[in-house]
Amino acid sequence: MNDWKQYSRYAKNEFSKGDFVAALKSHKKALNTGTLNFSTNFSVDAEGAIAAVLVSHFNISDTYTALKQFEAACQQFEIAFKFLHALSDNEACSSEVELALIRAYSHLNFEWTKFINQHGKDLDAERTLWYLNAQKTMEHSRKAAYQVH
């Protein structure tokens, strides 16, 4: 996680200086690090490993937004959703992992909804439809998670 944190800090610094190209490159390195080390990090800290990947996608989205590349920004939410969906389908979830996934879906929902509300007019209709379908899936996942097993 140290490499992920280092790349993320560097990217935030570049972003704050307005060097969005350098920030994007570093955020992508952070995402790559978080993804490559995911299994190891997940076994130690499931919520932290999930959060590192999600935050990287959110940061990449923010950077694409600063570059006025709204389609690419929106794709990051779609990729993050696919990541969470695959994880929830593939993991024999302990209660700790289930709670981490619920929190991650909630955070993704918040960030994606905020993005759609701000930039939906700048997106192809397909992106908005993708978002609406993902919303239904996330809602279904949350309801299933709260059912008594």
Side-chain angles (χ1 to χ4, degrees):
M1 290 290 272
N2 287 335
D3 288 342
W4 177 84
K5 289 177 184 177
Q6 184 177 0
Y7 286 127
S8 295
R9 273 194 295 268
Y10 180 76
K12 286 181 182 183
N13 185 41
E14 294 303 314
F15 188 96
S16 69
K17 292 190 294 190
D19 190 349
F20 303 127
V21 173
L24 185 60
K25 190 174 186 178
S26 292
H27 281 310
K28 287 181 177 182
K29 285 181 181 178
L31 175 61
N32 188 47
T33 301
T35 303
L36 288 174
N37 298 324
F38 184 77
S39 293
T40 303
N41 293 337
F42 187 84
S43 65
V44 175
D45 177 13
E47 188 159 6
I50 294 168
V53 172
L54 275 188
V55 167
S56 291
H57 283 296
F58 299 159
N59 289 338
I60 292 169
S61 178
D62 288 345
T63 307
Y64 276 128
T65 300
L67 292 166
K68 307 280 189 242
Q69 296 179 20
F70 301 114
E71 294 288 327
C74 191
Q75 278 183 318
Q76 292 303 309
F77 295 109
E78 295 168 11
I79 296 166
F81 172 79
K82 289 176 186 176
F83 163 76
L84 287 179
H85 195 65
L87 188 61
S88 61
D89 282 350
N90 293 329
E91 287 297 321
C93 293
S94 66
S95 59
E96 175 192 348
V97 172
E98 279 186 25
L99 287 174
L101 286 168
I102 290 168
R103 284 191 283 273
Y105 272 121
S106 179
H107 194 178
L108 174 59
N109 181 47
F110 175 80
E111 294 293 334
W112 202 354
T113 299
K114 184 173 73 170
F115 178 84
I116 291 293
N117 287 339
Q118 291 175 345
H119 303 289
K121 66 188 178 310
D122 301 312
L123 301 172
D124 289 339
E126 181 181 318
R127 294 270 178 246
T128 305
L129 182 60
W130 217 106
Y131 162 76
L132 293 172
N133 288 330
Q135 286 286 302
K136 291 176 188 173
T137 302
M138 285 189 278
E139 182 63 30
H140 176 73
S141 295
R142 283 194 299 269
K143 285 180 182 175
Y146 288 119
Q147 290 177 348
V148 177
H149 296 275

